[in-house]
Amino acid sequence: MELLERSTKKSKRMAKSNEVSMGALCRALKKKDNFLLASHVNPEGDAIGSILALDSLLRRLGKKTLIACEDSFPERLCCLPSKRWNQVKDIAPGRKFDALVVADCPTLERVGSVQTLLGPKTEIFNIDHHVSNSRFGHYNYIQPSASAAGEVVYDIFKHFKMKLNREEATALYVTITTDTGSFKYSNTTVKSHQIASELIQTGIDIEKINDALYATSSLEKLQLYSLLLGKVKTSADGQVAWVGLTREDLKRTGATYEDTEGFIDFLKYIKEVQFAFFLSEMDGNHGGQIRVSFRSKGDNDVAQIAVHFGGGGHKKAAGCMISGTLEEATQKILDQIKLITKTKK
Ligand SMILES: [Mn+2]
């Protein structure tokens, strides 16, 4: 009786958040025909690799697919094919989709203008690994133990008993190597290595992928790094480090926002630092806003700070947007860090 009660309670809870099993997810995918695929704005390796692999999988299942993103395909992911990538602004209005598949995206808002392509009948498949995922889909499959959303996509291939081809393996390798910082971060697991080993067995060119991903600095980027290194600040106890990028910094060096990706690791390399954050003064549609990336070491959780400001992410790597100036955003974040470190003590 008690068991029965418990299981009904559980199934009610499951129904509410629409969490599905891998089997149910794959059965539901099979029933749809016309897919829109998307991830978050400002997509990186995991977002893009996951979407490309899913696109290939669905087409092998005989489905119609269209990839849509607010942004263009980032240059630094040139080891992956961009030919199937579409920007929302280039998609003819009025196209109807049975389903939207979103990967590596903690909230629906993060898909940005892709939302304008959704009809009232479009069902949403939410495939992710963010602990903070809001379960926005009609079908939610969230695997927080996965190092990358690409690991979840790999499980979908396995469920369909589909052998990965080289292009799919390259896309999935990029998801894992970028989200684990080349298998260095604490989210790296035995499974990440096992999957990577299987991907390498398909004959993918690891050196070529890694050179494309990492040996790509421009002189402008190095000059921006030099400028930013000179602006690094730390708290009195040395445990918090941060740096703010202004639009002027980009103008002076000729570097781009994309060039700043990865800079935050320098802050983390300072021995005493437990919390690091990188602020970027935005332009265009996001003018007046500050984009913030967070990193932490040890047991410190930056996801809760990002969530406090309406963002999301993982315990050791998270992000958000804050309205206001660089100075205002910095103060708000320092206050928040003080608050959480105080409650911990
Ligand atoms: Mn990810």
Side-chain angles (χ1 to χ4, degrees), residues 22 25 46 50 54 103 126-130 141-159 172 175-176 191 195:
M22 178 55 78
L25 173 82
D46 189 21
S50 295
L54 278 167
N126 173 14
I127 296 165
D128 194 20
H129 69 131
H130 290 90
Y141 189 84
I142 318 300
Q143 186 65 262
S145 65
S147 72
E151 276 194 23
V152 184
V153 177
Y154 168 90
D155 286 342
I156 300 175
F157 272 92
K158 287 284 126 171
H159 191 88
L172 292 182
T175 70
I176 300 174
K191 189 174 170 186
I195 297 174

Side-chain angles (χ1 to χ4, degrees), residues 272-338:
E272 297 77 19
V273 164
Q274 296 298 313
F275 294 91
F277 59 98
F278 185 93
L279 310 110
S280 310
E281 203 177 67
M282 301 308 285
D283 62 5
N285 289 342
H286 297 292
Q289 288 192 295
I290 306 295
R291 188 175 72 206
V292 192
S293 308
F294 297 95
R295 295 288 185 275
S296 70
K297 280 195 285 203
D299 210 24
N300 297 300
D301 179 4
V302 282
Q304 57 169 316
I305 304 176
V307 167
H308 173 83
F309 293 110
H314 309 281
K315 187 175 170 187
K316 294 187 178 186
C320 67
M321 294 286 261
I322 299 180
S323 297
T325 65
L326 276 176
E327 291 71 26
E328 287 162 356
T330 304
Q331 200 47 54
K332 281 182 191 165
I333 295 164
L334 289 173
D335 290 346
Q336 200 56 31
I337 293 176
K338 219 176 265 169

Side-chain angles (χ1 to χ4, degrees), residues 166 198-206:
R166 214 177 283 183
E198 196 182 320
L199 300 177
I200 294 168
Q201 282 170 48
T202 66
I204 59 174
D205 189 337
I206 299 300

Side-chain angles (χ1 to χ4, degrees), residues 157-329:
F157 272 92
K158 287 284 126 171
H159 191 88
F160 280 117
K161 298 195 166 59
M162 284 162 78
K163 224 174 147 213
L164 291 150
N165 62 38
R166 214 177 283 183
E167 209 164 82
E168 292 157 350
T170 303
L172 292 182
Y173 185 84
V174 168
T175 70
I176 300 174
T177 191
T178 53
D179 259 23
T180 59
S182 305
F183 302 89
K184 286 196 307 267
Y185 301 156
S186 64
N187 61 346
T188 313
T189 62
V190 170
K191 189 174 170 186
S192 327
H193 282 286
Q194 275 166 346
I195 297 174
S197 138
E198 196 182 320
L199 300 177
I200 294 168
Q201 282 170 48
T202 66
I204 59 174
D205 189 337
I206 299 300
E207 186 185 3
K208 210 168 132 193
I209 295 172
N210 282 299
D211 278 353
L213 287 175
Y214 305 110
T216 56
S217 259
S218 62
L219 183 61
E220 288 82 5
K221 178 173 171 174
L222 285 192
Q223 276 161 348
L224 177 70
Y225 273 33
S226 133
L227 196 152
L228 290 175
L229 284 169
K231 296 208 290 184
V232 172
K233 295 200 174 65
T234 54
S235 58
D237 61 4
Q239 297 206 356
V240 187
W242 68 95
V243 71
L245 168 90
T246 63
R247 283 186 299 240
E248 184 58 30
D249 295 336
L250 295 180
K251 233 193 261 167
R252 268 179 63 189
T253 55
T256 64
Y257 283 106
E258 223 182 302
D259 287 329
T260 65
E261 206 182 307
F263 184 87
I264 195 167
D265 287 333
F266 286 113
L267 305 178
K268 228 180 74 178
Y269 293 154
I270 305 171
K271 201 168 157 196
E272 297 77 19
V273 164
Q274 296 298 313
F275 294 91
F277 59 98
F278 185 93
L279 310 110
S280 310
E281 203 177 67
M282 301 308 285
D283 62 5
N285 289 342
H286 297 292
Q289 288 192 295
I290 306 295
R291 188 175 72 206
V292 192
S293 308
F294 297 95
R295 295 288 185 275
S296 70
K297 280 195 285 203
D299 210 24
N300 297 300
D301 179 4
V302 282
Q304 57 169 316
I305 304 176
V307 167
H308 173 83
F309 293 110
H314 309 281
K315 187 175 170 187
K316 294 187 178 186
C320 67
M321 294 286 261
I322 299 180
S323 297
T325 65
L326 276 176
E327 291 71 26
E328 287 162 356

